[in-house]
Amino acid sequence: MIVTLITGTGGLVGSEAVKYFHKLGHVVIGIDNDMRKHFFGNEASTEWNITELKKKYSRYIHYSNDIRDNNAIEKIFSEYGRDIKLVIHAAAQPSHDWAAKDPFADFSINANGTLNLLENTRLHAPDSVFIFTSTNKVYGDKPNQLPLIEQDTRWEIDPEHEYRDGIPETMAIDQCTHSLFGASKVAADILTQEYGRYFGMKTGVFRGGCLTGPNHSGAELHGFLAYLMKCAASGQEYSVFGYKGKQVRDNLHSFDLIKAFHLFYEAPRIGEVYNIGGGRENNCSMKEAIEISEKISGKKMRCNYVKRHRTGDHIWWVSDISKFREHYPKWKQDYTIEKILEEVFERNISINKS
């Protein structure tokens, strides 16, 4: 029996991973206690997604436990032991703003929760592959020090700069402003690397740009494209925070991310780190994303511009994905930004009809 254990299965990345590895024949253990509802309110609850997974996937076994509860996590790991071949840790407190409201909860979920999963993997399933869904926020606002040029619809990096193809894993992560969320994810990121290097475990850290898709329960504080299209479809006002709405993000569909996870699982490495995102193929500014959303929905969006940007937020982020592609040349992206937004729009329309 091949067991894949996934945290945050009600969320975007976790639910995509359930579907993918269940299709491969794995028994999938899911851990999710719908903390997203606690973070962002009823509209962001992932209960609908968890209910759907339970109904559709016969080898999906769900646990409504909190990853901070080490006794509960240890019990799950001890039950399946060395049958666990893959651990995908996608549960997190994901918001800059929310972290400042409750730093203890943010750090205990992101850092201590990750420690619980790593240590139980080491004790009960040491030969398994451990994948951590990290974030580009570990770089803090260091990318804002890059030479950026203002254009009509976006900020863009100086074409002569060494990072013109995207930001690599070698960028420093310290001596800058991260937000408390960024700091807690740094702790988890480094822990995952250390368990790989110190204990020889097969750990992989994937520092995502904007990860997106139709299964994202988008909220204002988290879920750029999902929340944007939710507003476009419903007519709800959308707030743009700072940087003239020209801030740039690369966007990666959750399915394309899980394909990357699968390749790492098949040929794992020790304590490896990858920047992962849409890269130069799939990136857009806020203004450009709004324009695409209006074209797809056929409606003009109601937007509110807030001059104050979010603490630690990036002006320009494009991932340099060349390292992952060098290690795993079979990987490619199936989804463009336009295709992603069309899929999210269709999901919103179907929800509104039901």
Side-chain angles (χ1 to χ4, degrees):
M1 178 172 68
I2 299 176
V3 173
T4 291
L5 187 148
I6 304 169
T7 67
T9 48
L12 171 73
V13 175
S15 62
E16 194 78 69
V18 170
K19 298 168 189 176
Y20 189 100
F21 287 98
H22 188 279
K23 189 175 181 180
L24 294 181
H26 296 204
V27 172
V28 181
I29 307 303
I31 303 174
D32 194 308
N33 62 341
D34 197 12
M35 281 293 287
R36 196 172 177 87
K37 178 179 178 181
H38 173 69
F39 301 145
F40 309 126
N42 291 334
E43 70 169 9
S45 172
T46 59
E47 183 58 37
W48 66 273
N49 212 358
I50 293 168
T51 300
E52 196 172 279
L53 294 174
K54 290 177 181 177
K55 286 181 180 179
K56 287 187 176 181
Y57 300 96
S58 59
R59 293 186 308 281
Y60 176 69
I61 303 168
H62 187 80
Y63 291 85
S64 298
N65 293 112
D66 192 315
I67 60 171
R68 292 173 290 183
D69 184 349
N70 189 54
N71 290 333
I73 298 302
E74 184 176 20
K75 186 176 180 181
I76 296 169
F77 270 87
S78 62
E79 181 175 350
Y80 297 96
R82 290 178 180 268
D83 285 338
I84 299 172
K85 305 302 182 186
L86 172 62
V87 177
I88 298 175
H89 179 27
Q93 189 299 110
S95 168
H96 288 275
D97 302 279
W98 197 95
K101 296 177 184 177
D102 193 341
F104 284 102
D106 173 75
F107 196 86
S108 61
I109 292 167
N110 290 348
N112 295 90
T114 301
L115 177 59
N116 290 341
L117 291 157
L118 284 164
E119 181 65 1
N120 279 291
T121 300
R122 183 177 77 88
L123 294 175
H124 299 285
D127 297 325
S128 65
V129 175
F130 188 102
I131 292 174
F132 174 55
T133 309
S134 187
T135 171
N136 60 9
K137 301 304 185 292
V138 301
Y139 296 102
D141 62 2
K142 186 77 72 174
N144 293 352
Q145 299 172 17
L146 295 171
L148 300 175
I149 300 168
E150 184 178 358
Q151 299 180 347
D152 288 344
T153 61
R154 60 159 54 204
W155 293 94
E156 190 52 79
I157 194 168
D158 183 336
E160 299 300 316
H161 194 270
E162 61 177 323
Y163 291 174
R164 60 187 174 274
D165 294 327
I167 296 172
E169 298 82 0
T170 52
M171 174 175 265
I173 67 171
D174 64 342
Q175 299 185 67
C176 56
T177 301
H178 289 76
S179 82
L180 295 175
F181 157 72
S184 64
K185 291 293 280 189
V186 165
D189 185 305
I190 297 297
L191 272 169
T192 305
Q193 293 182 55
E194 195 64 21
Y195 265 74
R197 293 189 172 96
Y198 194 89
F199 296 115
M201 290 170 59
K202 292 170 279 191
T203 63
V205 172
F206 287 75
R207 294 173 174 168
C210 280
L211 308 176
T212 190
N215 290 328
H216 207 174
S217 297
E220 184 176 46
L221 298 183
H222 183 251
F224 168 34
L225 289 187
Y227 184 68
L228 175 66
M229 186 51 84
K230 180 187 287 188
C231 292
S234 67
Q236 183 178 339
E237 185 177 80
Y238 182 81
S239 293
V240 178
F241 292 91
Y243 301 133
K244 302 182 182 180
K246 297 181 180 183
Q247 55 267 57
V248 170
R249 302 287 182 270
D250 67 345
N251 294 271
L252 183 68
H253 193 286
S254 52
F255 179 71
D256 289 330
L257 175 67
I258 303 306
K259 288 194 303 177
F261 286 0
H262 184 204
L263 289 168
F264 185 85
Y265 166 66
E266 289 185 321
R269 302 169 78 93
I270 302 294
E272 195 57 89
V273 178
Y274 299 106
N275 285 353
I276 196 79
R280 271 299 182 190
E281 294 174 38
N282 286 302
N283 65 84
C284 64
S285 71
M286 193 76 74
K287 289 174 81 82
E288 291 163 353
I290 289 170
E291 184 178 339
I292 296 168
S293 297
E294 289 177 336
K295 183 178 179 181
I296 292 170
S297 68
K299 296 186 292 185
K300 186 73 175 175
M301 287 191 66
R302 293 195 303 123
C303 296
N304 172 47
Y305 179 69
V306 181
K307 286 186 178 180
R308 177 185 55 83
H309 63 267
R310 287 172 169 150
T311 303
D313 208 11
H314 296 151
I315 303 173
W316 182 87
W317 178 274
V318 173
S319 308
D320 180 352
I321 49 182
S322 61
K323 179 182 176 182
F324 185 79
R325 280 192 162 141
E326 179 185 346
H327 290 178
Y328 302 96
K330 291 182 180 180
W331 185 70
K332 66 181 182 66
Q333 298 180 61
D334 289 342
Y335 285 83
T336 62
I337 288 173
E338 289 79 6
K339 188 176 178 180
I340 291 169
L341 282 169
E342 286 170 0
E343 196 176 68
V344 175
F345 179 70
E346 289 168 6
R347 173 75 186 181
N348 276 280
I349 293 300
S350 66
I351 290 172
N352 292 337
K353 284 181 179 178
S354 61

